[in-house]
Amino acid sequence: MAQLTILEFPDPRLRTRAAPVQVFDAALERLIADMFETMYAAPGIGLAATQVNVHQRLIVVDVSEAHDDPQVFINPVILKREGKEQSEEGCLSVPQVFEPVERAERVTVRAQDAQGELFERELSGLLAVCVQHEMDHLEGKLFVDYLSSLKREHIRRRLEKERRERAGAPRSRPVSGWRVASGAKVI
Ligand code: NI
């Protein structure tokens, strides 16, 4: 397994619309394993293939505290949306930014597993939020797109400034205490 590089906003590759997965083979299984490794190491609770510059319709999630509930959704489609819920979201591609986003409270999703088998599931709570967030990535959409353009521009400038400051200096991890304090999960 290998850790993959996560693209960061405003990288234009994050705006790519992903194509359907058509081949379910060993290479796909390797990609899934690498995506889980990358997500757990980040750490995050969800990762879309788009974020590691693979433009195929594949997302991995694990919202468990113990990292023991890995779930893969390939070619996911939302069949039904119910209710509305606002929660604070973060994203591995938009480091250290947390903002409230409104999404459906419950969704019914149809997808394929790593073997290509179709399944349908009703999701709620954090898992529903996470899957909707990751599915946006497959459309080239980021959670900051739900914010005002002024706010998004401010975030973009801040991240670019931080990236410039980081260049040449040893890369420091984001301040983890900040994440804990915010209570938000990074998806
Ligand atoms: Ni994300």
Side-chain angles (χ1 to χ4, degrees):
M1 294 207 296
Q3 273 187 44
L4 308 167
T5 302
I6 298 175
L7 302 179
E8 292 185 0
F9 175 72
D11 193 310
R13 291 172 290 183
L14 286 167
R15 298 308 189 177
T16 313
R17 187 164 189 269
V21 172
Q22 284 172 327
V23 182
F24 294 80
D25 60 1
L28 181 69
E29 286 187 15
R30 220 163 27 242
L31 172 63
I32 292 168
D34 289 347
M35 283 176 61
F36 274 116
E37 189 182 343
T38 305
M39 180 190 83
Y40 288 133
I45 60 168
L47 187 69
T50 309
Q51 293 175 276
V52 293
N53 201 28
V54 175
H55 301 288
Q56 294 192 43
R57 306 187 81 78
L58 158 64
I59 66 175
V60 299
V61 302
D62 187 344
V63 298
S64 72
E65 293 291 334
H67 290 181
D68 59 359
D69 189 21
Q71 301 189 41
V72 182
F73 297 82
I74 299 173
N75 301 328
V77 178
I78 294 180
L79 301 176
K80 197 162 106 183
R81 293 179 166 82
E82 289 173 284
K84 290 226 180 302
E85 190 177 40
Q86 197 183 64
S87 57
E88 208 175 49
E89 294 187 16
C91 178
L92 294 175
S93 294
V94 192
Q96 299 190 73
V97 174
F98 297 89
E99 294 288 343
V101 175
E102 188 178 278
R103 299 199 186 266
E105 197 178 354
R106 290 176 303 282
V107 290
T108 304
V109 175
R110 183 170 62 205
Q112 283 163 283
D113 64 18
Q115 285 73 45
E117 289 295 320
L118 269 174
F119 64 91
E120 233 176 82
R121 284 189 54 194
E122 273 184 53
L123 312 175
S124 59
L126 183 56
L127 185 57
V129 171
C130 184
V131 166
Q132 289 174 83
H133 174 118
E134 301 312 332
M135 285 182 66
D136 274 354
H137 279 300
L138 302 179
E139 300 300 326
K141 190 167 181 179
L142 295 164
F143 87 104
V144 292
D145 297 350
Y146 293 97
L147 311 176
S148 71
S149 56
L150 191 72
K151 207 164 200 175
R152 191 164 50 251
E153 182 60 16
H154 173 76
I155 290 167
R156 186 185 67 74
R157 272 195 247 115
R158 195 177 106 195
L159 291 179
E160 285 183 338
K161 180 167 174 275
E162 281 171 7
R163 225 164 276 144
R164 275 198 305 276
E165 286 171 356
R166 225 161 49 194
R171 189 186 162 140
S172 59
R173 295 302 308 166
V175 187
S176 60
W178 202 88
R179 286 184 188 187
V180 173
S182 84
K185 305 274 189 176
V186 187
I187 47 188

